[in-house]
């Protein structure tokens, strides 16, 4: 297995771990629930995971046009540092899983077509290695995937 395929396998393994912990029985109310006003919701977190993967790997690494999933799905932008997460409209879990799967399929196509594991990409004037981009997305997803699981546990504990 080459280095690029290894990164893609790691990304899939990270996704599988938290998605299996999240389960398949999350309902729409649980997906839009926020622990506090403007706080995280599972639906917003899942949308954010997909957008960040698309931004760094499709747009920055491969030059694809930017896709504003947060704006399209959430009808608003996330300000993660200001802790302003718009509540998502009600959708079933299958909607978010399809968003993640479509994003991942495109990632595998685009990144899998790269032949050089030393590939670099520019964001403004800053250069990023493919290794940094893949590691960033893997760690980002693991962080937020765990956050989605914790949000579900917290909500179920309160009800």
């Amino acid at each position: 297995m080459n280095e690029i395929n290894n990164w893609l396998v790691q990304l899939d393994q990270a996704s599988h771990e938290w998605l299996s912990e999240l389960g398949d029985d999350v309902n729409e109310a649980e997906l839009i629930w926020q622990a506090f006003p403007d706080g995280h919701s599972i639906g917003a977190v899942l949308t954010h995971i997909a957008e960040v993967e698309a931004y760094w790997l499709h747009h920055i690494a491969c030059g694809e046009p930017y896709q504003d999933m947060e704006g399209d799905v959430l009808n608003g932008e996330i300000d993660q540092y200001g802790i302003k997460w718009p509540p998502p409209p009600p959708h079933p879990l299958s909607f978010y899983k399809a968003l993640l799967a479509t994003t991942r399929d495109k990632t595998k196509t685009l990144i899998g077509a790269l032949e050089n594991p030393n590939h670099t990409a520019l964001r403004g004037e800053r250069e990023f290695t493919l290794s940094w981009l893949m590691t960033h997305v893997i760690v980002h997803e693991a962080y937020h995937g765990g956050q989605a699981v914790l949000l579900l546990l917290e909500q179920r504990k309160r009800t």
Side-chain angles (χ1 to χ4, degrees), residues 34 36-40 48 70 77-86 143-144 147:
Q34 294 173 293
F36 54 89
D38 293 327
H40 303 78
H48 178 68
E70 291 173 2
E77 293 298 318
I78 292 171
D79 177 1
Q80 61 182 341
Y81 302 110
I83 310 179
K84 294 202 183 299
W85 289 68
Y143 171 84
H144 282 297
Q147 192 175 41

Side-chain angles (χ1 to χ4, degrees), residues 11 29 54 67 69 72 83 93 109 123 128 132 157:
L11 186 57
Q67 184 180 359
M69 288 184 212
D72 293 346
I83 310 179
L93 181 59
T109 298
R123 178 181 179 214
F128 293 92
W132 185 93
K157 184 177 92 175

Side-chain angles (χ1 to χ4, degrees), residues 72-147:
D72 293 346
V73 173
L74 304 177
N75 302 312
E77 293 298 318
I78 292 171
D79 177 1
Q80 61 182 341
Y81 302 110
I83 310 179
K84 294 202 183 299
W85 289 68
H91 291 294
L93 181 59
S94 60
F95 171 87
Y96 295 101
K97 285 189 170 186
L99 182 65
L100 292 164
T102 301
T103 302
R104 182 60 47 81
D105 288 346
K106 189 170 182 180
T107 295
K108 288 178 179 179
T109 298
L110 294 170
I111 299 298
L114 298 175
E115 296 178 7
N116 182 1
N118 297 315
H119 173 83
T120 60
L122 292 174
R123 178 181 179 214
E125 298 202 10
R126 185 167 175 202
E127 185 176 54
F128 293 92
T129 64
L130 184 57
S131 175
W132 185 93
L133 294 166
M134 291 298 299
T135 300
H136 176 70
V137 170
I138 291 166
V139 170
H140 177 270
E141 180 169 332
Y143 171 84
H144 282 297
Q147 192 175 41

Side-chain angles (χ1 to χ4, degrees), residues 27-47:
N27 63 48
E28 289 184 16
E30 291 171 325
L31 288 165
I32 64 173
W33 177 80
Q34 294 173 293
F36 54 89
D38 293 327
H40 303 78
S41 68
I42 296 169
V45 168
L46 299 183
T47 303

Side-chain angles (χ1 to χ4, degrees), residues 4-47:
I4 292 172
N5 286 336
N6 188 40
W7 289 323
L8 293 171
V9 167
Q10 289 175 34
L11 186 57
D12 273 346
Q13 288 172 339
S15 300
H16 175 74
E17 186 172 335
W18 67 263
L19 280 168
S20 64
E21 287 183 45
L22 192 63
D24 291 323
D25 65 339
V26 184
N27 63 48
E28 289 184 16
E30 291 171 325
L31 288 165
I32 64 173
W33 177 80
Q34 294 173 293
F36 54 89
D38 293 327
H40 303 78
S41 68
I42 296 169
V45 168
L46 299 183
T47 303

